[in-house]
Amino acid sequence: MTLDPLALAVAASFTAGCASIHALGRHADAVTLVLGLLAYGLATELGSLLAGRNGIVVLPDPVHAWGLVAAANI
């Protein structure tokens, strides 16, 4: 069996996350907030990735994108 660097990185980050949660057990509110924000960010990133891959949300011409940005007042 070959060593997969991606699987090793995922396992290491999971272990580090578990260790940090255990170490910060006294600060449960802060840990919950950070984990909630991380989950929200990952869900948003996954949604954007899937939408871009399936062609659901695509701005074909950057010139028209400026009009949408101006209309959204961003």
Side-chain angles (χ1 to χ4, degrees):
M1 186 165 94
T2 61
L3 182 64
D4 184 14
L6 179 62
L8 184 61
V10 169
S13 63
F14 177 78
T15 303
C18 290
S20 65
I21 289 170
H22 181 71
L24 295 172
R26 294 184 179 139
H27 306 287
D29 291 338
V31 171
T32 302
L33 177 65
V34 169
L35 290 177
L37 290 173
L38 182 63
Y40 176 74
L42 288 173
T44 303
E45 182 66 28
L46 181 63
S48 296
L49 177 75
L50 291 175
R53 176 176 273 182
N54 294 329
I56 295 172
V57 181
V58 176
L59 295 174
D61 190 5
V63 174
H64 297 294
W66 285 109
L68 293 174
V69 169
N73 202 10
I74 296 176

